[in-house]
Amino acid sequence: MTRKIKPYQGPAGGWGALSATTRFVFGSQQPAANIRNLLRANQVKGFDCPGCAWGDEQGKHFSFCENGAKAISWEATTKQVTPAFFRAHSVGKLQRQSDYFLEYQGRLEQPMYLNRERGHYEPISWENAFALIARHLNGLDHPDQLELYTSGRASNEAAYLYQLFGRSFGTNNFPDCSNLCHEASGVALTQAIGVGKGTVTLSDFERADAILVFGQNPGTNHPRMLHSLRNAAHNGTAIVSFNNLKERGLERFADPQSPLEMLTPKDSRISSHYFCPRLGGDMAAVRGMAKLVLEWDAEALKRGKPGLLDRDFIAQHTHGLEDYMATVAATSWQQIEVQSGLSRAELRQAAEVYASAERVICTWAMGITQHKHSVATIREITNLQLLRGQLGRPGAGLCPVRGHSNVQGNRTVGINEQPDAAFLDRLQQHFKQPMPRRPGHNAVAAIQAMLDGEAKVFIALGGNIAAAAPDTPATARALANCDLTVQISTKLNRSHVMAGKEALILPCLGRTEEDVQASGPQFITVEDSFSMVHASQGVAKPKSPHQRSETAIIAGMAQAVLGNKSVDWQALANNYDLIRDHIAATLPGFEQFNERLQQPGGFYLGNSAARYQWQTGNGKANFGSDPLPASLIPEAVTAKAQGMLSTLQTLRSHDQYNTTIYGMDDRYRGVYGQRMVIFMHPDEIKRRGLQEGDWVELIGVWLDDVERKVGGFKVVAYDIPPGDVAAYYPETNPLVPLHSVGDGSHTPTSKSIPILIRKQDAPRII
Ligand SMILES: Nc1nc2c(c(=O)[nH]1)N[C@H]1C(S)=C(S)[C@@H](COP(=O)(O)OP(=O)(O)OC[C@H]3O[C@@H](n4cnc5c(=O)[nH]c(N)nc54)[C@H](O)[C@@H]3O)O[C@H]1N2
Ligand SMILES: Nc1nc2c(c(=O)[nH]1)N[C@H]1C(S)=C(S)[C@@H](COP(=O)(O)OP(=O)(O)OC[C@H]3O[C@@H](n4cnc5c(=O)[nH]c(N)nc54)[C@H](O)[C@@H]3O)O[C@H]1N2
Ligand SMILES: [Mo]
């Protein structure tokens, strides 16, 4: 493995993607299985790619991307984590290994129990594992001492059964990866338009005149989105990117599935305009654009011309324009320019594109949702769209681009710590048993409850909370404080080794694998970012006879804990059609669920806002009128740092899927063979008396006196606004204070962490 930093000159995609895919698919121990799997990815009779939540283009023969191929091959590995492996590796020893090492060991193969006395995981039968869970749960003083975490890969069927299990037990404690991810989108959109989901469908991307992409790196995280953006750019659609970094995927793309683009030097320009705001500066940037649109509108009206606002839409459908206009008028250009880091001239260019386009889509991801004022920022993006009625029309709307492949579906079917009363009423009526009404814990609250000893049992349906959550040492203490931690997982990860006093690993089948139950082969369903629900059926043979489906595992736990008085859990695990019948009976939009899945490509759940039905308190789409935050970092923190503060964003490299590290390269950012790097502007490097290649430690500065520090990072000069720096997650998670969360979203502020950077000696082993 050669470590080097070498700026990448090519387009995103292209031969680099093809050769990386080939290396990943053929370089593994199961190339034939990988190819068979890939041919069935995102096909009508195949499985939904577990990579991301972007929608499927129907009728395409190949429907996967480089990073989808990695996710699929990674799951298909023939390597297994056997009892012999655990005999050879104590938990203490495993704790000292890297995340890459842990996941690289292969698929979890048998249920395992952590014998604390011996310090090793040992095999346990499924029955004994379920009995242990039942003993702990039935011994709790209160159902809210249980935390049920979900990561967004779980199917609709598994997630629905899981929430039914939790609520039948008596708790709404459903912390989930969404709380660390797109929560702000759900909160802001629900306030503004009455539904916490995007309003567009995939075909809208073909009809838009302008697409504004905020805080998102599709070249790595949603590569199939580049196809939509490329096609739009070819049709003359303006693509305006707002990103703290110059991401290659937003600049240029060569489609590895297009012979013309591969064989000629003809790649596609993606963005027509590219702006690099300061971290957290997007709300100010959008406010600047809105200010210009409102000014131009007023001038046009004065000259007797038609204005720029969609006055019919505003009058009929919205509330709060006057307050919003007053707030915009009260926001000074000075504040807008300082906070956004963009000049008035730049914002004018952006506003001109917006104002001259008939149909505009705004998309966004983590660069928008992981700040303190994320809810207000998404309200501001919505305000901009409301001004010109850019919603509910073909080619126009709002599009939060989700992360995990079924994170949206999980929320739809009830993974929600604050469920609405109507849903609970329906569950109660249908299952003829009371449902808990107390709001539950989100991810940060769950960690705090475990730290405080209020929560005693932690069960995770997938994911890797120990590495994904903020304040890593605090999260580790929280897990260690639990009487029992249970991980339903495909691969070994940090959460298995940072475990509770007692701990279980329950190995499950993956999305790509055949799932055969008593009634025969099963399929599951998922919902993508565009509210399309469709079936997904695995094609690969399971690797171990001991692995069970997520649904079967949940049913087994529920049966052991609750018995089958009000729900026949085993019957549901035997035949997932029956779970879908319950979903159809309790969730609006899923009527005749099983029948509608027969349509190739699935069905559209619909979006009330896209139909101009506003399920808000006042029955209107609401303008928000939050002022810009007075400062992006608390003033007390800035004062503590005495002028030496940097703002850190923690982001993904090209070779990772969240906490799963596939490799050590970040090709488009020119980083090879390493992950411990910090991207800094050359002036910022100089200002700190540093040089490129120096080793530094990063020290968190926060309102509390907790020491937060990580070391061994190499300085890399990069095109990033001075004062802002970037490094990879999860290595930087120890720097994110548990209680630095978004207003109204409670999402850790992983994209704006105040830190100091201090030179250190070269690490001994480099
Ligand atoms: N291959 C792969 N695919 C994935 C994932 C993965 O890890 N690997 N993760 C999945 C998940 S769960 C998610 S949520 C998504 C994440 O998808 P992204 O949101 O694309 O993920 P990040 O790497 O966090 O990238 C954040 C982007 O926002 C920019 N940014 C950061 N802060 C700001 C800001 O304040 N303003 C602006 N304008 N830009 C900013 C960063 O420069 C970066 O380009 O991807 C999903 N798909
Ligand atoms: N600092 C910082 N922290 C962040 C972020 C950030 O940008 N910066 N991003 C946040 C975001 S957006 C998210 S979504 C979270 C992600 O948080 P999580 O969803 O908790 O983490 P993942 O890394 O996606 O989980 C990987 C593990 O899931 C298990 N797994 C994989 N496939 C399956 C399956 O099919 N079934 C089951 N049961 N298990 C499976 C494997 O054991 C694997 O080790 O992290 C968040 N944390
Ligand atoms: Mo995410």
Side-chain angles (χ1 to χ4, degrees):
M1 185 172 61
T2 357
R3 279 163 203 263
K4 60 177 181 192
I5 304 291
K6 186 166 181 275
Y8 178 79
Q9 308 296 351
W15 289 106
L18 200 61
S19 76
T21 310
T22 317
R23 239 180 303 135
F24 216 85
V25 171
F26 291 97
S28 71
Q29 288 142 333
Q30 68 291 339
N34 286 343
I35 292 163
R36 188 199 49 221
N37 290 349
L38 286 170
L39 289 173
R40 302 291 286 276
N42 296 327
Q43 300 297 320
V44 170
K45 280 204 177 305
F47 56 86
D48 180 68
C49 176
C52 76
W54 191 252
D56 301 335
E57 283 175 73
Q58 294 305 322
K60 270 196 93 173
H61 196 51
F62 299 112
S63 193
F64 59 89
C65 65
E66 174 193 345
N67 281 347
K70 287 182 195 163
I72 292 166
S73 323
W74 194 251
E75 189 168 286
T77 178
T78 48
K79 292 178 73 172
Q80 300 215 355
V81 183
T82 58
F85 172 87
F86 285 111
R87 271 198 303 280
H89 296 82
S90 69
V91 165
K93 194 163 146 193
L94 291 173
Q95 279 173 358
R96 293 189 293 277
Q97 293 290 355
S98 68
D99 292 320
Y100 176 75
F101 173 92
L102 295 176
E103 275 229 12
Y104 190 70
Q105 301 313 311
R107 289 288 297 275
L108 295 160
E109 196 255 319
Q110 290 193 30
M112 303 297 293
Y113 169 74
L114 177 56
N115 185 324
R116 278 283 174 199
E117 259 167 44
R118 284 203 274 270
H120 285 260
Y121 271 103
E122 295 172 349
I124 183 173
S125 69
W126 281 104
E127 285 53 47
N128 287 345
F130 293 146
L132 180 75
I133 295 170
R135 201 156 64 240
H136 275 275
L137 261 53
N138 290 329
L140 293 177
D141 302 325
H142 194 282
D144 287 341
Q145 290 175 325
L146 168 66
E147 302 287 351
L148 292 161
Y149 180 74
T150 314
S151 166
R153 267 203 200 173
S155 63
N156 287 333
E157 289 73 11
Y160 184 84
L161 208 62
Y162 194 58
Q163 65 82 33
L164 185 61
F165 163 52
R167 296 199 162 105
S168 302
F169 182 70
T171 186
N172 283 311
N173 281 348
F174 290 104
D176 77 322
C177 72
S178 226
N179 301 141
L180 310 171
C181 181
H182 257 295
E183 191 69 58
S185 306
V187 172
L189 293 177
T190 304
Q191 290 171 357
I193 60 170
V195 53
K197 299 183 187 183
T199 65
V200 300
T201 61
L202 196 50
S203 62
D204 284 316
F205 282 77
E206 294 160 18
R207 303 187 195 157
D209 301 310
I211 302 171
L212 276 48
V213 181
F214 292 94
Q216 193 192 346
N217 181 22
T220 287
N221 298 315
H222 306 91
R224 287 181 298 135
M225 180 176 176
L226 290 188
H227 294 258
S228 301
L229 293 180
R230 191 268 319 253
N231 294 345
H234 278 186
N235 293 338
T237 302
I239 296 176
V240 185
S241 289
F242 292 83
N243 198 302
N244 191 240
L245 301 175
K246 282 275 171 63
E247 303 284 26
R248 180 51 44 90
L250 289 168
E251 294 179 319
R252 289 187 288 132
F253 173 56
D255 184 350
Q257 294 177 23
S258 152
L260 186 68
E261 289 186 9
M262 292 300 283
L263 296 174
T264 63
K266 193 174 171 295
D267 53 63
S268 297
R269 173 282 285 166
I270 297 288
S271 297
S272 51
H273 302 73
Y274 205 121
F275 303 104
C276 295
R278 299 289 312 270
L279 287 173
D282 301 81
M283 181 178 179
V286 179
R287 172 93 15 119
M289 290 169 67
K291 199 170 169 80
L292 289 164
V293 170
L294 288 169
E295 263 173 41
W296 296 335
D297 176 72
E299 279 165 26
L301 292 185
K302 230 193 283 162
R303 280 190 268 118
K305 293 197 171 151
L308 285 179
L309 304 197
D310 185 339
R311 293 200 151 68
D312 291 343
F313 172 83
I314 291 172
Q316 209 184 332
H317 294 295
T318 72
H319 171 81
L321 177 64
E322 265 143 52
D323 283 353
Y324 176 59
M325 284 173 67
T327 308
V328 175
T331 315
S332 72
W333 272 108
Q334 203 242 350
Q335 197 188 4
I336 289 171
E337 289 190 312
V338 170
Q339 199 162 98
S340 69
L342 299 175
S343 69
R344 192 165 169 171
E346 286 174 299
L347 292 173
R348 192 185 175 91
Q349 277 180 32
E352 277 169 2
V353 176
Y354 172 76
S356 52
E358 218 168 286
R359 294 175 286 258
V360 183
I361 294 176
C362 292
T363 81
W364 66 90
M366 296 304 100
I368 294 300
T369 63
Q370 295 178 330
H371 293 287
K372 182 155 194 300
H373 59 302
S374 292
V375 171
T377 303
I378 297 161
R379 294 291 306 260
E380 193 65 17
I381 294 173
T382 310
N383 288 337
L384 183 70
Q385 291 288 66
L386 292 179
L387 285 177
R388 286 184 40 82
Q390 294 290 2
L391 220 146
R393 295 195 269 119
L398 295 159
C399 179
V401 182
R402 303 278 168 184
H404 270 300
S405 50
N406 195 37
V407 63
Q408 184 158 319
N410 284 188
R411 198 37 81 80
T412 303
V413 302
I415 301 300
N416 189 344
E417 74 279 6
Q418 302 209 37
D420 63 56
F423 174 59
L424 295 178
D425 291 343
R426 281 191 301 269
L427 283 180
Q428 190 156 319
Q429 223 176 14
H430 182 72
F431 291 102
K432 300 188 178 53
Q433 57 172 336
M435 290 291 152
R437 303 285 162 158
R438 296 170 310 283
H441 292 151
N442 56 37
V444 166
I447 294 168
Q448 189 61 53
M450 295 191 279
L451 274 172
D452 294 343
E454 276 172 34
K456 297 194 179 300
V457 178
F458 176 84
I459 302 181
L461 178 57
N464 181 8
I465 194 165
D471 234 335
T472 315
T475 298
R477 278 201 309 281
L479 290 168
N481 219 9
C482 289
D483 292 338
L484 175 69
T485 55
V486 181
Q487 302 285 339
I488 303 168
S489 322
T490 51
K491 291 240 179 157
L492 187 65
N493 66 39
R494 184 85 24 217
S495 303
H496 304 118
V497 297
M498 306 308 285
K501 290 169 197 150
E502 290 189 274
L504 287 167
I505 295 177
L506 304 181
C508 66
L509 296 173
R511 174 93 52 88
T512 55
E513 283 147 351
E514 282 175 1
D515 178 358
V516 181
Q517 301 294 337
S519 68
Q522 306 293 314
F523 64 87
I524 53 99
T525 61
V526 294
E527 174 186 341
D528 66 24
S529 271
F530 305 109
S531 305
M532 290 296 300
V533 177
H534 60 90
S536 167
Q537 189 159 21
V539 294
K541 288 269 170 280
K543 304 290 170 318
S544 153
H546 303 293
Q547 290 164 347
R548 291 194 179 177
S549 78
E550 292 176 337
T551 309
I553 297 172
I554 297 160
M557 290 195 300
Q559 171 85 35
V561 176
L562 301 167
N564 57 7
K565 251 201 340 265
S566 44
V567 180
D568 185 348
W569 304 98
Q570 194 51 52
L572 299 182
N574 290 345
N575 181 356
Y576 302 174
D577 277 353
L578 302 181
I579 304 178
R580 284 185 284 271
D581 287 341
H582 286 308
I583 294 178
T586 48
L587 281 164
F590 285 91
E591 297 77 14
Q592 296 170 320
F593 192 4
N594 278 308
E595 292 79 347
R596 280 154 83 201
L597 286 170
Q598 303 305 324
Q599 301 162 32
F603 62 91
Y604 177 49
L605 264 185
N607 179 292
S608 48
R611 295 192 305 270
Y612 295 158
Q613 290 168 6
W614 316 104
Q615 296 176 350
T616 50
N618 58 5
K620 298 274 182 191
N622 288 302
F623 282 94
S625 33
D626 291 300
L628 294 184
S631 64
L632 294 180
I633 301 291
E635 267 151 28
V637 170
T638 312
K640 258 187 175 179
Q642 302 180 329
M644 290 310 281
L645 212 59
S646 299
T647 306
L648 169 75
Q649 63 148 319
T650 59
L651 78 180
R652 293 154 173 80
S653 84
H654 194 65
D655 274 0
Q656 80 182 80
Y657 193 94
N658 298 338
T659 67
T660 297
I661 312 300
Y662 303 125
M664 295 291 152
D665 297 348
D666 191 7
R667 196 166 70 242
Y668 302 146
R669 299 198 187 102
V671 176
Y672 298 89
Q674 57 198 325
R675 289 179 52 84
M676 297 295 277
V677 295
I678 177 160
F679 300 104
M680 299 174 74
H681 189 278
D683 293 349
E684 181 78 2
I685 298 178
K686 227 187 272 161
R687 183 169 85 95
R688 292 173 184 283
L690 296 168
Q691 295 192 336
E692 261 182 82
D694 273 355
W695 295 96
V696 291
E697 58 181 0
L698 316 180
I699 300 140
V701 188
W702 194 239
L703 302 163
D704 56 24
D705 290 322
V706 176
E707 184 182 66
R708 297 186 177 86
K709 195 158 84 173
V710 284
F713 287 78
K714 195 185 211 171
V715 172
V716 173
Y718 210 76
D719 186 1
I720 181 171
D724 292 346
V725 298
Y728 302 127
Y729 125 82
E731 288 82 347
T732 44
N733 285 41
L735 298 172
V736 188
L738 185 60
H739 293 292
S740 172
V741 294
D743 296 331
S745 66
H746 309 282
T747 300
T749 56
S750 311
K751 296 289 190 275
S752 48
I753 310 162
I755 59 161
L756 298 172
I757 300 170
R758 195 179 291 152
K759 191 169 164 150
Q760 64 176 170
D761 293 337
R764 260 181 305 145
I765 310 161
I766 58 166

